[in-house]
Amino acid sequence: MNHFEYRKIVNPPFFGRNELFCDNVRVEDIVSSVGTPAYIYSGKAILTNFNEIKDAFAPLNPLICFSVKSNSNLTICKTLAEAGSGFDVVSGGELYRVLKIGADPSKVVFAGVGKNSNEIRYAIENNIFMFNVESQNELENINKIATDLNKIVRIALRINPDVDPRTHAKTTTGKKENKFGIDFVTAGKILRQARKYPGIKLAGLHVHLGSPIYTTEPYVKALKKLTKFLPECNQYGIKIEYINIGGGYCISYTGEEVTRPADYAMDIIPLVRQTGCKLIMEPGRFIVGNAGILITRVTYIKESSYGKKFVICDAAMNDLIRPTLYDAYHRTWPLKSNVPYPKIEYPEEKPIVKRGTEVVDVVGPVCESSDVFAKNRVLPKVKEGDLLAIFSAGAYGFSMSSNYNSRPRACEIMVNGESFSTIRKRETCEDLISLEL
Ligand code: LLP
């Protein structure tokens, strides 16, 4: 089921027009109350997506750790914790958030190449499940802090398997040129020295290859490499009990069918089963990406004699940076339109301009040429004051937002079936300066 859909209005005065709904709530009703720009999430979609992964991998009963960096809103984390999710955190701040909502620390894994001593101590004191360790120096630091605290800490070695996930270079993490993880030779060296670390229990292997990954093949390649490494672990008396395959499960940004959890499961489950290990997963984008949209209002239309037409709106790259940073494609469409929202868009193809549509650039007000949400995009003709929805914005949208150009950040709204509530207030100018002395 699609939780954001256009419905035909059957009553006058808007008879026949298509209007965007989030579950059973008319999106314009939300905007009338909270203003723009606004992130709107479907609570139902978040749970549906979480359960789709859970069901697909049910034969292995994995520990699913929602990747907090994709969307760290407290209400969203709490919704997932209540559904049984664990959490993948990458900073003391993310750990603080999940502890704040009462998440079970024994379902928290901690990744990242540069965990500092304060973060490590904080995580150990709060009894998290496992650290995903990214270098021998980090391992030594964790060992030292654990020993000081008189604890033995469970860790997984994050392996860099040198597998190409065939995604954007800036979101590729498991190739040899990337800063993440430990190569197999160095990991072997760590195994040989494992006895040196009395504060550490080496219990897992972790990989995160990149994101989004559109086929199962990179996971298969990486799992085969991990499986080959297991005898070396055994040889040094180290029993690997957990395999963590990270995140990266794709979503459709264009309406096209893409690989789904059941497809990943079909290829991944047999390989993990062979190892006899328990599975850990760290999905972020799959759970929240298509469960959220960003709503913006058109401030001005600007046409140039060079033949360009700009739709200037009140959201900007500081609200959603993915198009600027990765040339990411986010479908964009007016909240109300007589032109039906296309089922699929083909970003690589030359735009076809149908009746009632035109080619425009959808841009924000920030003083950067890269502040563009959609370039040369076919859109129904819009006018100043109209509302636009930018789709697939639930993951790495608000969580990567900033105050650049001293712009207060957008509010976040959660829809639950028939009703909606604000889960993060819109920032004010006062908030912008509140920490400055
Ligand atoms: N686990 C680890 C160790 C990660 O580094 C990440 C994402 C995930 C899990 C979750 O990946 P997901 O399931 O969400 O694909 N800002 C970029 C994505 C960067 C992802 C960084 N790591 C974007 O907007 O596409």
Side-chain angles (χ1 to χ4, degrees), residues 202-219:
L202 209 169
L205 297 178
H206 171 241
V207 285
H208 171 74
L209 304 170
S211 158
I213 303 176
Y214 285 96
T215 64
T216 61
E217 178 222 323
Y219 293 95

Side-chain angles (χ1 to χ4, degrees), residues 67 69 88 208 211 247-248 282-285 322 326 396 400:
S67 193
K69 67 178 85 61
D88 151 46
H208 171 74
S211 158
E282 302 172 340
R285 186 188 318 269
R322 302 192 70 257
Y326 319 116
Y396 308 104
M400 291 180 84

Side-chain angles (χ1 to χ4, degrees), residues 191-262:
L191 296 179
R192 284 194 291 284
Q193 300 175 6
R195 279 205 203 98
K196 269 186 14 194
Y197 306 118
I200 298 287
K201 179 173 162 56
L202 209 169
L205 297 178
H206 171 241
V207 285
H208 171 74
L209 304 170
S211 158
I213 303 176
Y214 285 96
T215 64
T216 61
E217 178 222 323
Y219 293 95
V220 168
K221 276 192 180 158
L223 273 168
K224 286 188 173 159
K225 287 189 173 189
L226 290 187
T227 307
K228 259 174 113 177
F229 185 61
L230 286 176
E232 204 172 326
C233 302
N234 282 332
Q235 193 187 325
Y236 295 103
I238 291 159
K239 176 141 179 44
I240 298 297
E241 296 166 66
Y242 301 92
I243 293 218
N244 181 337
I245 55 165
Y249 318 100
C250 66
I251 59 169
S252 179
Y253 280 97
T254 57
E256 273 186 291
E257 285 293 323
V258 293
T259 304
R260 297 206 69 90

Side-chain angles (χ1 to χ4, degrees), residues 303-327:
E303 270 182 275
S304 79
S305 61
Y306 299 128
K308 289 283 308 179
K309 186 161 184 173
F310 299 98
V311 173
I312 302 168
C313 50
D314 66 359
M317 63 188 276
N318 74 294
D319 299 300
L320 176 68
I321 204 169
R322 302 192 70 257
T324 303
L325 208 52
Y326 319 116
D327 289 320

Side-chain angles (χ1 to χ4, degrees), residues 22-38:
C22 174
D23 293 318
N24 283 330
V25 181
R26 197 173 154 249
V27 173
E28 190 167 344
D29 287 341
I30 303 177
V31 177
S32 308
S33 141
V34 305
T36 53

